[in-house]
């Protein structure tokens, strides 16, 4: 009778899911920076398009039993970015990955979080469903437009914040930041603005804003006092910079001295760069959740700055991989 082969106990105990990080095409510099902080190589994969515009993704190394993190931000072309991520998740599961975490630094569809006009899709929830259907076991993201978008996912979501990075940046630019005022451009950003004001020990103000369309906003009033003060405008994202222009104009008309801006996601779509180049502000900073090409930085009249959040993502990945708390990263 043959004795069944048994692996030695040390061999079984030494088997741990290797940490594997891959990236789609949307923000490879951020993925590389995350890997540099982690001290692991960026995994080898290839994405191509067939002549009929279909995308094909191919991993060029084994993922078997791996703890796989796929970095893909939802930036222009957003639909391709989402499709590529879904294919990468699906291919990783088919290749026997042990666990797949979708690392989505900018979840753009978080803006579609409610049915605010008739006969529309709540696309933020639909994309969440699709990612889970593709096989995502976890999501790691940063500064969702509305925090409750977290609830669109049934799988665990680690929702990072760039607020510490933004407030430290303000403090470096303006050593007496505590004499300034943090200005929330609308009611939706008041909580974030309040947290940053507390970190800076500064004042707080807010604008009562009305959105007329995707590209048009109308400010109605500034609540608070910015007269003669350095103003720090914070927001989740800048897209067309329409909100930003209105916010800066009203702050200036109410006597703001210097204006600094810092947001998590610098999307800079459509007329944003021309608007920022002509804007009466000292600086507009955003993090590298979205890749800001050098051409945009040069065209901004020296206004744009990019802040690095790769260490935050690397720390979160380390803690997820080792089973340590992610919330401790915020304290
Ligand atoms: C609005 O609710 C958001 O917080 C941002 O202010 C908005 O997404 C920015 O868009 P835009 O730059 O096109 O005005």
């Amino acid at each position: 009778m043959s004795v069944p082969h048994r692996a030695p106990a040390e061999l079984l105990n030494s088997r741990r899911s290797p940490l594997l990080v891959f990236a789609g095409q949307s923000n490879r510099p951020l993925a590389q920076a995350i890997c540099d902080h982690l001290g692991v190589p960026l995994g080898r994969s290839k994405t191509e398009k067939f002549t009929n515009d279909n995308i094909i993704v191919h991993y060029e190394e084994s993922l078997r039993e791996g703890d796989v993190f796929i970095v893909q931000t939802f930036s222009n072309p957003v639909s391709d970015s989402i499709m590529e991520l879904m294919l990468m998740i699906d291919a990783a599961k088919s290749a026997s990955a042990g666990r797949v975490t979708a690392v989505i630094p900018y979840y753009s569809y978080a803006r579609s979080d409610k049915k605010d006009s008739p006969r529309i899709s709540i696309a933020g929830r639909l994309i969440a469903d699709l990612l889970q259907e593709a096989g995502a076991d976890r999501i790691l993201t940063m500064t969702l437009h509305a925090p409750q978008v977290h609830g669109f996912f049934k799988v665990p979501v680690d929702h990072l914040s760039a607020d510490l990075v933004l407030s430290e940046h303000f403090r470096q630019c303006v050593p007496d930041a505590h004499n300034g005022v943090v200005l929330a451009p609308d009611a939706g950003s008041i909580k974030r603005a309040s947290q940053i004001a507390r970190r800076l020990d500064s004042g707080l103000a807010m604008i009562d804003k009305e959105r007329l369309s995707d590209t048009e906003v109308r400010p109605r009033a500034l609540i608070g006092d910015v007269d003669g003060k350095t103003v720090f405008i914070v927001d989740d994202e800048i897209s067309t910079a329409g909100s930003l222009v209105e916010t800066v104009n009203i702050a200036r008309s109410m006597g703001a001295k210097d204006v600094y801006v810092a947001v998590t996601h610098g999307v800079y779509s459509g007329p944003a760069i021309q608007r920022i180049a002509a804007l009466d502000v000292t600086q507009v900073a955003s993090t590298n959740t979205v890749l800001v090409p050098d051409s945009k930085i040069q065209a901004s009249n020296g206004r744009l700055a990019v802040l690095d959040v790769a260490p935050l993502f690397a720390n979160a990945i380390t803690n997820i991989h080792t089973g340590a708390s992610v919330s401790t990263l915020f304290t």
Side-chain angles (χ1 to χ4, degrees), residues 111 145 185-186 188-189 192 209 211 214-215 217 235-244 269 272 275:
R111 280 181 76 166
H145 175 67
D186 55 33
S189 44
R192 177 179 312 114
K209 173 184 97 173
R211 181 166 284 281
D214 180 35
T215 52
V217 288
D235 212 343
D236 57 331
E237 67 174 64
I238 296 172
S239 183
T240 64
S243 308
L244 180 61
S269 61
R275 284 173 169 171

Side-chain angles (χ1 to χ4, degrees), residues 27 73-76 105-106 166 235-241 262-269 272-273 276 284-293 296 304-307:
N27 196 345
T73 212
F74 290 175
S75 58
N76 189 22
Y106 173 51
L166 305 189
D235 212 343
D236 57 331
E237 67 174 64
I238 296 172
S239 183
T240 64
V263 304
T264 307
H265 311 297
V267 181
Y268 306 128
S269 61
I273 297 298
I276 289 169
V284 176
S286 57
T287 78
N288 51 353
T289 56
V290 176
L291 182 63
V292 183
K296 286 191 178 175
L304 288 192
V306 179
L307 313 175

Side-chain angles (χ1 to χ4, degrees), residues 35-189:
C35 286
D36 293 346
H37 282 281
L38 289 168
V40 300
L42 182 57
R44 285 178 289 114
S45 67
K46 205 160 67 182
T47 299
E48 287 172 300
K49 262 196 174 181
F50 290 116
T51 47
N52 66 357
D53 216 33
N54 286 5
I55 298 173
I56 180 168
V57 167
H58 177 213
Y59 288 102
E60 298 179 310
E61 57 189 274
S62 171
L63 283 73
R64 199 166 282 276
E65 301 301 326
D67 191 12
V68 174
F69 292 79
I70 304 170
V71 182
Q72 179 79 318
T73 212
F74 290 175
S75 58
N76 189 22
V78 173
S79 301
D80 276 3
S81 301
I82 293 171
M83 191 65 197
E84 185 188 18
L85 176 58
M86 287 198 289
L87 294 175
M88 290 185 83
I89 294 168
D90 186 53
K93 293 301 262 196
S94 302
S96 302
R99 179 173 71 170
V100 176
T101 301
V103 182
I104 309 172
Y106 173 51
Y107 188 76
S108 64
Y109 271 101
R111 280 181 76 166
S112 303
D113 62 343
K114 55 186 158 312
K115 199 156 183 185
D116 50 7
S117 66
R119 301 176 294 281
I120 62 164
S121 161
I122 300 176
R125 197 222 67 245
L126 173 65
I127 304 297
D129 287 349
L130 294 173
L131 290 167
Q132 292 165 114
E133 188 58 33
D137 297 299
R138 306 184 63 91
I139 305 290
L140 173 60
T141 189
M142 179 171 267
T143 312
L144 293 166
H145 175 67
Q148 61 270 24
V149 169
H150 188 141
F152 288 169
F153 292 90
K154 291 192 188 76
V155 296
V157 176
D158 288 301
H159 182 194
L160 303 180
S161 162
D163 290 356
L164 189 58
V165 174
L166 305 189
S167 42
E168 282 310 308
H169 173 70
F170 284 142
R171 218 197 295 273
Q172 272 172 16
C173 293
V174 183
D176 66 339
H178 56 276
N179 292 323
V181 176
V182 176
L183 176 59
D186 55 33
S189 44

